[in-house]
Each structure stands twice: as structure tokens, then as C-alpha cells.
Amino acid sequence: MEPPATDTPPAQPRLTKREGRSPRDMALSLLVLIVPIALMLTFYRVVLSGDEPLTVDPASSIELASREFTVLVPAGLSADWRVTTANFKRESGGATLRIGYVDPDDSPVQLVESTTPAESLVPAEVGKDGKRTGAYRTDARSWMVYSGRPEETVLIYTEGKRTVLIIGKTDQKNLEILASALK
């Protein structure tokens, strides 16, 4: 015969204090995980220079662009200026060379050289709300200074069918250094 059915579930076995998990046990478990992660991060940043931007050689993009128009190339920039991107593209309205830099302050700066008409290129690069704020003169040319998108400053030089823009979220002095280096 079967024992009569009851509505109460069987009693759960209880763990003694020594058998249960204490906050100390959880802290030790986390420590075992955190220490190797911290060591790997330190190795990545210090030994492998993991925080440094990847650099590229812009020579092939500059060569392609020089077939379309006269390219201004920076000369004499310090090693603190690092090229991170280089791209040349032919479009229906013209050809555009873009070279991205990281300046000595670790801020992004982009050099854009294009045969796209300035009337369409400048608003596209500077933004609709861009306003002329001044001028800057190098030994070779005069640049218009614009305020661009939030926190951006833009130097613009137009010559014939070519427009050159230097765009950056950095101190204007760094943009002027790049403009002065263009030969």
C-alpha cells in the first residue's frame, strides 16, 4: 500500500555555516579572476603599446591623387604626428584625398584635398552652421579659419579647382603647424 499523499513538500536539507558560501569566498573568487585580467591589460598597454593608434603609409593614396591634381604633402612634421588613415576616391564631382592624423596632443586631424567644387565640398565638410572666424597666413598661402561642427576648427585654402581643408578637434595651433608643413 501507498502512504497517504500530503500537501507539504519534503523538507529541504539545510547547509551548515561551513558548507555555505560567505562574502569572503565570493571576494576570493573575484580576486582570482581580476588579477590575471589586470596583468593582461598591463601587458597589452605597456609591452604591446596597445593604446597607440595604428599608423599607415599614405604614399599610395598620395600617388593616386597626384595623377588627378597637385597634392600638398606635409614635410617636416615631428614624429608626434601619426598618419592613421589615407584614402583617395574619385567621385562624379571630382577626386578627393583624405589623410587622417593624430596630432601631438592625441587629437584627430584630417587633411582633405579635393577637386570637388568648394561650394559643395565646404558645407559637407564644415557643416551647415560653419562660420568664418578669421584667417591664417603661412609663408606660401592664406587660409580661411572656420568654426565647424561642435569643437571643430577648419582651415580652408582654395586655389583654382583644388580645395584643401584641415579639420580638427584640437588646438588651432596644431592645425596651423600642419598647414605650414604643406609643400
Side-chain angles (χ1 to χ4, degrees), residues 67-107:
R67 295 177 188 166
E68 301 288 326
F69 54 86
T70 304
V71 176
L72 294 176
V73 180
L77 287 177
S78 70
D80 293 337
W81 286 84
R82 296 169 306 256
V83 177
T84 57
T85 62
N87 182 16
F88 174 73
K89 185 175 183 182
R90 286 181 192 89
E91 301 161 331
S92 61
T96 303
L97 171 67
R98 294 176 185 278
I99 302 176
Y101 293 89
V102 173
D103 72 5
D105 297 334
D106 289 330
S107 299

Side-chain angles (χ1 to χ4, degrees), residues 32-54:
V32 167
L33 293 173
I34 289 174
V35 168
I37 291 171
L39 289 173
M40 286 191 299
L41 254 171
T42 303
F43 178 77
Y44 174 73
R45 287 185 170 178
V46 174
V47 176
L48 301 178
S49 299
D51 288 339
E52 292 294 317
L54 297 176

Side-chain angles (χ1 to χ4, degrees), residues 10 32 44 49 59 63 66 68 79 81 86 95 125 128 130 132 161 167 171 183:
V32 167
Y44 174 73
S49 299
E63 183 182 333
S66 65
E68 301 288 326
W81 286 84
E125 298 294 333
K128 297 174 190 170
R132 186 170 177 182
K161 293 184 176 185
I167 306 163
D171 186 37
K183 306 288 183 229

